[in-house]
Amino acid sequence: MSTGSRRRKRGPHVTMDDEATAARGRRVVPGATSPGRAGGRLADEVYDTLLGQLMSLRIEPGSRVTIDVLARELGVSQTPIRDALNRMEAEGLVVRVPHAGYRIPPQITRHRFEDMLEVRLLLEPAAARRSAERATLAQVAGLRRMLEEMAELEGGSGPTAYGAFGLRDAAFHDLVAQSAENQVIRESLARLHSHVHLFRLHHDTQVTHLAMAEHEDVVAAIAARDPDAAAYAMRRHILRSGERFRRLFDEIEGAEAMAVQA
């Protein structure tokens, strides 16, 4: 996706992805319930559509999203919309505004990014070290399963697959913090929602490929019960990730400078 398409202005309301709607074969009639289409499945479909819109920036950062508008555009009742938005709120993808629906968080700034990177470098290598010392066999197995899920998504195309990878990336780091048995570190990292913000910057499959190899190094060190190697692998991953996303900021800022000169 080009920088120009990323910066394109959009209207104040969300326009749902025509391709995603077409892939479903039909719109859902409001209030109708068809056999085999459970409410949870419908909420999942709404969630997938919104995730694709969000990660492709078709939903503009900072814009307002209301349940009734989405319900009309998707042709569904408000219940699956509400369920999907509640899930997205828990993941840091949207922010609930009292008496005004939901809002898409603004795009992360370079200054905010550097602050988050500094905090992650303080907390996550320590969490990986403790994970190597304390993780149970079940938790190590859980980390490996998460890598398998991410590997399946890595080959996927489109913003929905990329967005799902970003959320798995966040879940992977949360599992490392959980297995470290330090709830303060885990809660601090969760409040950052750093992975969600970073993966919204740009749809770049190279980011997913490189992150996978670095994650595998972290898990290998944890499984080997090598605290120093685990801390080192995590620190290296965060530093390399930081460099990758810095290049994206450079691209965005360069495009903005050219637009001003023009």
Side-chain angles (χ1 to χ4, degrees):
M1 182 168 57
S2 66
T3 302
S5 64
R6 291 202 307 272
R7 304 297 303 170
R8 185 172 61 249
K9 292 294 183 182
R10 300 164 185 85
H13 293 300
V14 179
T15 299
M16 304 314 297
D17 190 349
D18 292 335
E19 293 179 359
T21 303
R24 291 184 176 84
R26 63 180 178 85
R27 288 169 60 88
V28 179
V29 178
T33 303
S34 58
R37 183 184 287 271
R41 173 58 182 162
L42 185 54
D44 288 343
E45 292 184 3
V46 172
Y47 173 90
D48 288 343
T49 301
L50 290 174
L51 179 61
Q53 292 280 1
L54 183 67
M55 291 298 177
S56 66
L57 297 187
R58 293 182 183 179
I59 303 179
E60 186 177 2
S63 63
R64 180 185 172 195
V65 177
T66 56
I67 293 175
D68 59 336
V69 170
L70 290 178
R72 288 196 300 271
E73 290 180 346
L74 283 180
V76 299
S77 70
Q78 293 190 5
T79 298
I81 301 291
R82 197 180 305 276
D83 291 343
L85 288 173
N86 285 340
R87 177 179 168 187
M88 297 180 80
E89 181 189 17
E91 293 169 342
L93 295 169
V94 299
V95 177
R96 188 193 302 267
V97 181
H99 312 297
Y102 294 82
R103 180 177 56 81
I104 305 302
Q107 196 68 288
I108 186 174
T109 64
R110 182 186 284 267
H111 182 75
R112 176 75 174 176
F113 161 75
E114 295 292 350
D115 285 349
M116 289 197 309
L117 189 67
E118 184 175 348
V119 172
R120 292 185 64 194
L121 285 170
L122 291 172
L123 297 180
E124 295 208 59
R129 176 182 295 277
R130 290 291 179 260
S131 177
E133 296 171 344
R134 301 171 178 173
T136 65
L137 292 177
Q139 287 171 329
V140 172
L143 287 169
R144 286 174 169 153
R145 283 195 301 272
M146 183 61 68
L147 289 182
E148 292 173 358
E149 292 182 18
M150 295 174 76
E152 293 176 359
L153 290 168
E154 184 187 5
S157 61
T160 299
Y162 181 75
F165 184 96
L167 294 177
R168 295 297 192 287
D169 187 272
F172 171 82
H173 284 263
D174 180 66
L175 284 176
V176 173
Q178 181 183 30
S179 63
E181 297 183 356
N182 188 316
Q183 191 62 22
V184 174
I185 289 180
R186 188 183 183 196
E187 291 172 356
S188 298
L189 292 172
R191 282 194 295 270
L192 290 177
H193 290 299
S194 57
H195 301 81
V196 168
H197 290 303
L198 291 175
F199 275 83
R200 289 171 61 213
L201 278 175
H202 182 41
H203 183 175
D204 187 351
T205 55
Q206 184 71 1
V207 169
T208 64
H209 175 71
L210 296 172
M212 279 297 302
E214 294 159 10
H215 288 163
E216 289 168 359
D217 290 342
V218 172
V219 174
I222 291 173
R225 305 301 182 185
D226 189 333
D228 289 340
Y232 175 78
M234 181 63 81
R235 179 176 178 80
R236 182 176 59 182
H237 166 51
I238 295 170
L239 288 172
R240 289 181 174 177
S241 175
E243 289 303 315
R244 290 192 288 270
F245 283 105
R246 281 193 184 100
R247 287 194 290 270
L248 297 180
F249 280 110
D250 291 341
E251 290 178 11
I252 294 171
E253 291 169 1
E256 289 175 344
M258 291 180 62
V260 170
Q261 293 174 2

